[in-house]
Amino acid sequence: MKPISLLLSILIFQMAVTSSAQNATKLNKSENKAVNETVNKKFVDARSIRINLKKSIIIDYSSPSWNKSPDKIDFGLLIMKDIHSDQLISVEMQETSTDSSVFFGKYQIDLSKNDSQGTLEMYIPPQNLNADTQRFVKINKLIKDNILLRKPYFYRIEGEKQKITLYDSKLQALEAYRYFLRADTSSKMSLQNQALETKAMAQVDKLTLQNMAQAQDEAKLDLIKQKQEREKEQALLSQKLIAENKAKAASLAKLALEKYNKQNFQEALNLFDQSMALDPSNISFYFQYGVTLFKLDRFEKALTYLQLDRASENKEQDYFIALSYLKLDQKDKAKENFTKLAQDKSLGPIATFYLGIIDMSQENFESAKNHFQIVLDTSTDNQLDQQAENYIEQIANILKYKELQKNRWTLTGNIGAQYDSNILTVSPDVVSTDLSGFRTTYGFNLEYRPIYTEKSEFAINLMYSDIYSTTSSLQPSSQFQNIDPLTTGVTAPFKRRGKLFDLPSQWGVTPYFKTIQMNADGIDTREAILQSTGVTLDTTLVQSDKVLHSTGLDLRQDNSFSSSSGDNDQDASYLGLTYALTQFTDDNQKEAWIKEASLGLNSATGKNLRYYLAGFNLGYLVPGYWDALWVAKVGVTHKNYSESTLGRQDNLLSLNLISQKKLSNTLQFSGGLIFNSSLSNIDSYKYNQFVILSQLIWQKAF
């Protein structure tokens, strides 16, 4: 006879109870006394039980309410709670056979971090929460409000397996335990571990049934007896029938694997489930079954089955386990598993890629950047490389955003050199001198940004821009320098990001004031010749990842200080409208066609300067030589001075090739070629112009 203490070490129950001698009046008095003393002395609360969380747990539960159809395998939802971490884990319970009302589930997720031992509570939640994405939040509230109560259970170890049997009341668990103790102390039979519950519950006497009926548990005991009878019947099945079921299960599993290999995952899942119902002992396809569940977004159950069969080392299996942890938002576990795979030759690059994704989600941007760089250095998958490059670019933008958010001031300076074949932009027939020369450009912009959030942005900009021109032999020329403009101004852009027509969008309002100074009279220094006050309204609408729409409206009042008057008075009101369509041609948003259209109306005081314009530009954006960004553009603009005394009409053709290259975090280079040709009906306004330009731009936030 086994000692009572050894039996208690492998069979632990959920609730402490007191004596129940009134339920055992027909027992032998001395035996009953020994059992009661053991029950009273040894029963413990489940919250003091330590269960090995690193090993699989096999759970069974009898529930007629879950048995919805007598012809199909039904399923139910069970919730386990680790009381140390307060983590809720759902377990899908599957009916052992059609119309059996007995449900079975397996689970193995390492809830512990360092300690392999943990404590579990069991709950049967409302089954309509199974498909609810917020089920854990709702179930946790039911538990905290004491609406959903924990279930009593048997916990036992059979060989290497941990097994739990759930009950609906402590009295049911108590009676089963009492029988277990009586059977042992009387030595009336030898209990086999795998039939413990069956033999313990099958012998509950009639008086016990009557007493439990008084406790409103008779229906449950009937169900348990029916369950035991069915199990006995199943045990008596002929070896031939068992063999037939196994053969049919193997055939279904083979067909399921064929569907799996063809990526018909829903069909594969149905066939896997049928095979498992016929032969639960076959675990040979658990890996494929787990991947199938993963592909169908059933990540919790996928993780369970992927972890159940770990007899042999399978890196792909480890990969899907890590992915499942990531999908379940258990980032620490996912990171731990991806780190183990990072050194693998085949799966290392993709594992490192996901380590970068996890670091980004945790705002460890430098670590994420390093992981994506490793992907670029080790991967042979062009698509993965491109994704890594995109994330590196996103990280740069995020860090820039955070830097701008932290720093309110930004100073931008520029200096450049140009060769201009026609500085005066006039017909060569008008002047006798050489129109070509060199120009030096320089300026700065100081920005103060008091508001910078994810949705709103407001800034004040002070700008200064100047040009100094010389002849082609680098000699000063008053003719050129008299028209060199010095521009100063202030702008106050406000931007707001949100949604328009349910699409991501940004709109902005920018009031501005600018002054242009020239030495128009050729005497002494430059003086103000034009002041402009206006406001621009702009919007950007993101139609898709590849299509952007941008619009702009410019309202401006020009006040001229020149001596021109009458029909040549330059005071004017200007109204301009622009539209741009950007269409990316690649998934990485680095190559795009840019189409621009513009309309303008200049309502000058002098009729010779009144005009309307219409223009169209077509450009192509592409990364190219020197790892620079290149833009090629062709444009045409028509200006009609319909009220001028000469009936002037200008047609301007423009060809541009511009490149931009980032040299460092604060320095950028810009250069290009520009060709302009004015085809006017007035000879003096006909000209060609060719420009070679280069510029260094420095920017620092503080």
Side-chain angles (χ1 to χ4, degrees), residues 285-548:
F285 53 78
Y286 272 13
F287 167 63
Q288 291 85 354
Y289 185 57
V291 174
T292 299
L293 292 165
F294 178 88
K295 295 293 186 179
L296 297 174
D297 296 339
R298 298 170 68 174
F299 306 118
E300 291 171 342
K301 189 174 181 181
L303 187 54
T304 299
Y305 280 90
L306 287 167
Q307 291 183 317
L308 282 175
D309 181 23
R310 302 302 305 276
S312 58
E313 185 175 349
N314 185 337
K315 294 295 186 182
E316 190 177 0
Q317 188 171 357
D318 294 337
Y319 170 70
F320 277 102
I321 288 173
L323 273 183
S324 298
Y325 275 125
L326 183 59
K327 291 292 186 179
L328 291 170
D329 202 33
Q330 297 185 40
K331 293 187 177 67
D332 290 342
K333 281 291 182 183
K335 194 170 186 177
E336 178 183 332
N337 283 270
F338 280 129
T339 301
K340 293 177 182 177
L341 289 169
Q343 303 304 317
D344 183 74
K345 184 177 180 181
S346 176
L347 294 172
I350 187 64
T352 305
F353 177 83
Y354 280 112
L355 286 172
I357 295 292
I358 294 171
D359 280 335
M360 274 196 71
S361 69
Q362 297 174 336
E363 298 192 359
N364 299 324
F365 297 114
E366 289 300 329
S367 177
K369 182 179 178 181
N370 291 337
H371 281 125
F372 292 130
Q373 188 60 53
I374 291 173
V375 173
L376 293 177
D377 295 339
T378 59
S379 171
T380 57
D381 185 335
N382 292 334
Q383 187 174 1
L384 186 64
D385 287 348
Q386 193 62 63
Q387 287 180 315
E389 286 184 2
N390 291 343
Y391 276 114
I392 290 175
E393 185 175 341
Q394 285 185 34
I395 290 171
N397 292 334
I398 291 171
L399 293 176
K400 182 178 180 181
Y401 167 78
K402 288 184 173 295
E403 187 73 15
L404 291 173
Q405 194 175 39
K406 180 176 65 174
N407 300 311
R408 304 244 181 214
W409 295 88
T410 302
L411 178 62
T412 304
N414 67 82
I415 185 169
Q418 299 179 4
Y419 169 78
D420 192 331
S421 68
N422 190 341
I423 292 178
L424 299 179
T425 62
V426 296
S427 171
D429 298 332
V430 176
V431 294
S432 58
T433 59
D434 184 7
L435 296 175
S436 65
F438 293 98
R439 312 187 85 175
T440 300
T441 64
Y442 53 94
F444 71 87
N445 184 88
L446 179 63
E447 179 181 73
Y448 172 67
R449 186 184 297 102
I451 299 174
Y452 194 78
T453 67
E454 291 185 3
K455 290 189 175 181
S456 299
E457 178 182 343
F458 174 68
I460 300 173
N461 295 284
L462 299 176
M463 57 89 63
Y464 176 96
S465 177
D466 198 4
I467 297 178
Y468 180 81
S469 301
T470 67
T471 65
S472 56
S473 58
L474 300 179
Q475 298 300 312
S477 169
S478 60
Q479 186 180 25
F480 291 163
Q481 293 173 2
N482 286 341
I483 66 164
D484 284 341
L486 169 62
T487 305
T488 58
V490 58
T491 65
F494 174 78
K495 296 179 181 179
R496 179 73 178 176
R497 290 171 280 273
K499 286 197 171 183
L500 181 64
F501 306 120
D502 204 32
L503 296 172
S505 65
Q506 174 181 282
W507 59 268
V509 179
T510 305
Y512 62 86
F513 175 79
K514 294 181 181 179
T515 298
I516 297 177
Q517 298 181 49
M518 287 184 183
N519 191 10
D521 56 10
I523 302 174
D524 297 327
T525 60
R526 292 179 287 193
E527 63 277 346
I529 65 165
L530 186 68
Q531 285 184 346
S532 299
T533 304
V535 60
T536 60
L537 309 175
D538 62 86
T539 61
T540 300
L541 184 68
V542 182
Q543 179 180 331
S544 67
D545 290 340
K546 292 188 175 183
V547 180
L548 303 178

Side-chain angles (χ1 to χ4, degrees), residues 90-106:
S90 65
V91 181
E92 186 175 70
M93 303 288 286
Q94 179 176 314
E95 199 171 17
T96 56
S97 60
T98 57
D99 203 30
S100 71
S101 296
V102 179
F103 291 80
F104 166 85
K106 292 183 181 180

Side-chain angles (χ1 to χ4, degrees), residues 31-63:
E31 178 183 332
N32 185 61
K33 181 179 179 180
V35 170
N36 285 340
E37 288 177 353
T38 302
V39 170
N40 293 335
K41 183 178 180 181
K42 297 295 184 179
F43 260 50
V44 294
D45 193 289
R47 287 166 290 190
S48 66
I49 297 172
R50 304 288 283 171
I51 296 176
N52 192 332
L53 300 180
K54 293 184 179 294
K55 290 186 177 181
S56 63
I57 302 171
I58 301 173
I59 308 166
D60 68 273
Y61 175 60
S62 298
S63 176

